[in-house]
Amino acid sequence: MAAFSDLEKVNQELLKFLHANRSGTLLRRLLERQEQLGDRLLETQDDASRKLKDALALEEGVARKFLDKREEMQCTVSMMEQVEKELQEATEKNASLKAELNMLSNELKELKDIEVEIQRLEEEVGEDTAVIPSTVYMTQLYHRISKIEWDFECEPTLIKGIHHGPEIAHPIHIDSAQHSKKFVSDYLWSLINTQW
């Protein structure tokens, strides 16, 4: 812009000189030519300024797209990290479920083995089933008469149970190793009510 201002001053001085001397056509032509060059310079400056603005706008658009793509890439990386974390958790859960499934499979196999063993035992005992109902009947009969509820899970040398007498329940706890069979028999018979 400073060069243009200097050029304009020179033009004005030349015009003053031409008017003052009223001289030659050649000098006017030179001034006209110089004015045309000044106009072209202004047009070129306007064109350059417009192109610079366009280039800056284009650069700004490219920078905005770059930032958008960068943000999109960061979101994608974040999503991929989340997916990898979920995949890791799913893999661990899958391994845990496989271990549990193997354990259940082993337990199922053991249950099938037990079922086979039970069937084998039932077949072995199948011939003795005629005796069992009479044993159950006898046990129920003894219970009704004696009113004694036996503890069958005690040690073999102990005789344990509860006698449900006419007034209150009375516990039974006898060590057969310390008492004779006669004493045990007499004691148990003494619990039975003979009043019918």
Side-chain angles (χ1 to χ4, degrees):
M1 285 307 247
F4 181 70
S5 173
D6 291 341
L7 186 61
E8 196 173 302
K9 284 180 185 177
V10 169
N11 281 343
Q12 287 175 357
E13 290 297 321
L14 284 173
L15 283 172
K16 284 181 188 177
F17 176 72
L18 281 175
H19 286 301
N21 290 333
R22 306 226 192 274
S23 60
T25 319
L26 182 59
L27 196 50
R28 271 190 219 147
R29 282 188 198 156
L30 283 174
L31 285 175
E32 287 173 2
R33 181 83 174 134
Q34 192 175 10
E35 191 176 331
Q36 288 174 354
L37 285 174
D39 290 343
R40 285 184 77 191
L41 178 63
L42 284 175
E43 288 175 9
T44 304
Q45 281 181 340
D46 287 344
D47 190 38
S49 176
R50 192 171 36 253
K51 286 183 179 180
L52 181 63
K53 285 180 184 177
D54 290 346
L56 288 174
L58 182 63
E59 185 178 324
E60 184 181 339
V62 168
R64 192 176 311 119
K65 283 183 181 179
F66 173 75
L67 290 175
D68 290 346
K69 289 294 181 185
R70 185 174 176 187
E71 186 178 332
E72 186 178 319
M73 185 180 75
Q74 288 174 344
C75 288
T76 303
V77 166
S78 176
M79 283 175 43
M80 284 178 59
E81 288 173 353
Q82 180 66 28
V83 167
E84 285 177 2
K85 182 180 175 185
E86 290 175 2
L87 178 63
Q88 180 67 27
E89 290 173 357
T91 302
E92 290 171 2
K93 188 173 183 180
N94 187 29
S96 172
L97 288 174
K98 280 184 179 179
E100 193 174 326
L101 181 63
N102 284 339
M103 186 178 71
L104 289 173
S105 177
N106 290 339
E107 289 178 3
L108 181 62
K109 185 179 179 222
E110 289 176 16
L111 286 174
K112 285 183 180 179
D113 291 345
I114 291 171
E115 186 178 5
V116 167
E117 181 66 19
I118 288 173
Q119 285 177 351
R120 187 185 66 76
L121 290 173
E122 283 178 350
E123 289 173 2
E124 286 179 8
V125 178
E127 294 151 9
D128 297 338
T129 55
V131 176
I132 291 175
S134 64
T135 306
V136 171
Y137 172 74
M138 292 299 288
T139 305
Q140 289 175 349
L141 183 63
Y142 288 143
H143 176 69
R144 283 188 176 220
I145 293 172
S146 66
K147 306 248 193 281
I148 297 174
E149 188 177 319
W150 297 106
D151 181 1
F152 293 106
E153 295 182 6
C154 64
E155 296 179 27
T157 59
L158 294 178
I159 300 171
K160 288 178 78 175
I162 298 174
H163 175 255
H164 298 280
E167 296 172 11
I168 60 168
H170 179 71
I172 301 170
H173 186 85
I174 302 172
D175 187 355
S176 64
Q178 294 180 1
H179 300 285
S180 68
K181 290 183 181 181
K182 181 178 183 330
F183 171 81
V184 172
S185 177
D186 288 345
Y187 176 75
L188 293 175
W189 277 109
S190 71
L191 297 174
I192 296 174
N193 185 6
T194 56
Q195 302 281 325
W196 300 81

